[in-house]
Amino acid sequence: MSNITGKKFYTGIGSRSTPPHILHLMAYIAHVMSKNGYTLRSGGADGADLAFEEGAGELKEIYLPWKGFNNSNSHLYSISDAAMHMASTLHPRWQYIPESVKKLMARNCYQILSEDLNTPSEVVVCWTPDGCTSSNTRTPKTGGTGQAIDLADRSGIPVYNLQNNSDIIKLLNILL
């Protein structure tokens, strides 16, 4: 399934503390997705994001909460009022979090729905310690990635969490 532009997108995200063997798997998945014409959407954070970015090569959209985040040179760092509003509807304690965290959460909306907030990724590949794949399985251990998983779930986008062996098997069967 491609969008109106004919491009294909997926979101590659996850915890900054993703285990090394999963980081290698993420880079491999990104490489295979790239070879199949898929553009990565990610967020430039340490851990999972950078592993996906490394494997994706040139086919990537890296959304940042602010210019130069994590020394990234991505030009996708402008956070719109619409993205902030969307993020506020997803975060249970929005009014209590610092502005910098709000920008991180708003950039997650772009990772799932693109800069126009209207072009969804076809799939989300991620890793969280609790194996979260939907709004219903989100826990405090899901961390910041949970907000993106929640948005994907609400948008009908399948989520494959590499913490779950069954998701790894399903994803590899699709890719290979």
Side-chain angles (χ1 to χ4, degrees):
M1 172 172 69
S2 304
N3 64 39
I4 196 165
T5 66
K7 292 184 177 181
K8 301 181 292 187
F9 299 97
Y10 74 101
T11 301
I13 54 177
S15 172
R16 287 175 173 85
S17 61
T18 301
H21 71 284
I22 298 294
L23 295 175
H24 292 295
L25 179 58
M26 288 172 162
Y28 173 73
I29 289 168
H31 176 75
V32 172
M33 295 292 282
S34 177
K35 291 290 185 194
N36 287 311
Y38 281 84
T39 298
L40 166 69
R41 291 180 178 150
S42 197
D46 288 334
D49 290 7
L50 290 182
F52 279 110
E53 190 174 344
E54 177 186 314
E58 297 300 313
L59 286 179
K60 60 188 173 190
E61 294 178 357
I62 307 303
Y63 294 99
L64 307 177
W66 50 81
K67 185 177 182 176
F69 172 74
N70 206 21
N71 296 314
S72 175
N73 62 3
S74 174
H75 65 281
L76 299 171
Y77 56 82
S78 180
I79 304 293
S80 69
D81 291 341
M84 290 291 270
H85 174 73
M86 183 179 286
S88 76
T89 67
L90 298 165
H91 197 283
R93 300 180 51 80
W94 185 257
Q95 66 272 26
Y96 301 110
I97 60 176
E99 192 67 21
S100 60
V101 176
K102 288 178 179 177
K103 287 183 177 185
L104 286 163
M105 297 292 111
R107 83 74 152 83
N108 289 351
C109 297
Y110 295 136
Q111 293 171 350
I112 302 299
L113 299 174
S114 187
E115 196 169 23
D116 66 5
L117 298 174
N118 200 34
T119 308
S121 289
E122 291 181 35
V123 64
V124 174
V125 181
C126 65
W127 185 90
T128 63
D130 60 359
C132 176
T133 58
S134 69
S135 303
N136 293 337
T137 59
R138 188 175 177 186
T139 72
K141 289 183 179 180
T142 310
T145 304
Q147 191 251 4
I149 292 170
D150 191 1
L151 180 56
D153 185 40
R154 293 177 192 214
S155 302
I157 301 167
V159 176
Y160 294 93
N161 192 318
L162 302 176
Q163 171 66 10
N164 306 320
N165 287 334
S166 61
D167 283 359
I168 293 174
I169 292 166
K170 286 178 202 172
L171 188 58
L172 291 177
N173 281 331
I174 293 167
L175 293 175
L176 302 177

